[in-house]
Amino acid sequence: MNRRIAAFFLPAPDSLAAAAFRQGKSPWVHAVHLLWSFWLFVTPLWSSEGWNTRWLVCTLVSYPVFLLLYYKSVVAPRLTARGYALAMVLLSMVLVPWYPSGLTYFVYGCVMLRVCRMRFHSYLAWLTVLNATLLLETWLLQYPWQAIFTIPVTSFIVGIVINAERANEEKDAQLQLSHDEVRRLAATAERERIGRDLHDLLGHTLSLITLKLELSRKLFDRDSEAARREIEDAEKVARHALAEVRSAVTGIRTADLAAELASARLLLASSMVHLDYGSPPALPGEIERGLSLVLREAATNIARHAAASRARIEWVHEHARMCMQVSDNGRGGIDSDGNGLSGMRERVRALGGTLTIDSPRGRGTCLKVSVPVPTLRLVETSSAFTDATPDHTATASEQPAA
């Protein structure tokens, strides 16, 4: 019996409450809508009878039932939540002949009907049928025209607003799932690459070390000098393998610009910021790693603080220097360095470059990083860039897949 009671009150996995919990919201977030039930206690103001005994009895009997139905419409599975919403509508229609405040239950029932999985036109059809039924009942009961007119208008307006909110939440949930899927696939691909690299890097080397150690063990009693040479060779091979592993780990830990640009696009898209960028140039490893970290911090600052709708990343060659420019159309007004900007300045300074910020209040922010690049490397990069795009501009179709 206790299990059945607990199962009756626990949220179903596909319920409205469970969806809010998965989005990081409080499980009580939907309880705030119950504040609108204060109309139960305001309606008697427009009645000549006021708060009489009949109103008090009807409220004491019906309000707990309404609260239970509302709770179940929030925690029940989406397919069965419709029944609880319709039960609120039925409760209102049963009470209307004696209890005008019960019209509030009707509005709640129409709104909570949207919890169910249905198309918008189906929801409008339900609203039309329910309101037509209520209009007929209140007309037969000779309700004031204000009540007959107000309730359908209120239920339609609030219902359409809630429908828009639910649709937006569902799209946000789908967007978050797509982001999580991209990250999961990227992590899987990276693990597979690391596995292949380590196998190719260490498989042959460890086999060679094993053979040399086995040979030195066999030669130990017969030719100690040859055994010593084999051990020395094994030691050299092991040291070489250790250096290669360290180099590989360093490469794994570092981020390249293409991957960082893809990550920045995902981050800003989740904050409703559109990012434009061209193909990143080929740069020496150390410079690319430093600029990747600066770009990551800049994208994070735009997502958290800029309140922007668009952002742009540009690459410019200036003599023997490479300039990365990150701009947005946000609120601007940056007049001092926080921890993020201080960290970016230190990274750019370590590369021998400079970082400047132009951030007029209300007109966005433009962050410009300029770092020296070896002349030979810069010439090769510029030549490749020119061959790919004659007008020196990377179009969206020419961007490599991140």
Side-chain angles (χ1 to χ4, degrees), residues 190-338:
E190 184 66 10
R191 284 195 295 268
E192 292 176 353
R193 184 187 70 81
I194 292 173
R196 292 193 300 269
D197 290 349
L198 290 178
H199 178 269
D200 296 341
L201 182 65
L202 295 179
H204 173 72
T205 303
L206 293 177
S207 298
L208 180 59
I209 292 174
T210 301
L211 290 174
K212 285 189 171 293
L213 291 177
E214 288 179 354
L215 180 59
S216 64
R217 177 173 54 81
K218 293 176 182 179
L219 293 173
F220 188 77
D221 294 331
R222 290 179 295 171
D223 189 348
S224 59
E225 184 63 25
R228 184 180 66 81
R229 287 196 299 269
E230 294 296 333
I231 293 175
E232 289 178 351
D233 290 344
E235 180 183 0
K236 292 178 181 178
V237 173
R239 291 185 182 278
H240 178 70
L242 179 60
E244 288 185 333
V245 168
R246 285 174 175 170
S247 177
V249 170
T250 300
I252 292 172
R253 288 177 178 174
T254 58
D256 61 2
L257 283 172
E260 204 58 52
L261 285 168
S263 178
R265 169 174 283 179
L266 280 175
L267 173 65
L268 295 177
S270 64
S271 301
M272 306 302 291
V273 181
H274 178 73
L275 176 64
D276 293 321
Y277 63 87
S279 302
L283 295 169
E286 183 179 356
I287 295 177
E288 185 169 2
R289 290 192 294 271
L291 291 181
S292 297
L293 295 174
V294 172
L295 176 59
R296 180 184 304 176
E297 183 65 32
T300 302
N301 286 343
I302 294 174
R304 291 182 179 177
H305 310 299
S309 61
R310 298 186 67 88
R312 183 172 181 82
I313 300 173
E314 299 175 278
W315 314 93
V316 181
H317 293 179
E318 293 181 351
H319 305 295
R321 303 180 74 84
M322 169 60 65
C323 293
M324 179 181 72
Q325 185 169 294
V326 183
S327 57
D328 65 72
N329 64 345
R331 61 166 60 102
I334 298 176
D335 52 8
S336 61
D337 289 1

Side-chain angles (χ1 to χ4, degrees), residues 332-361:
I334 298 176
D335 52 8
S336 61
D337 289 1
N339 292 331
L341 287 176
S342 298
M344 284 193 282
R345 289 191 187 279
E346 291 177 3
R347 295 185 189 280
V348 173
R349 193 179 300 116
L351 297 175
T354 58
L355 184 150
T356 58
I357 298 177
D358 181 23
S359 183
R361 188 172 299 278

Side-chain angles (χ1 to χ4, degrees), residues 26 41 46 134 185 187 230 239 261 290 377-378 381:
S26 168
F41 308 94
W46 291 278
L134 181 69
L185 292 175
E230 294 296 333
R239 291 185 182 278
L261 285 168
R377 182 76 177 191
L378 183 59
T381 301

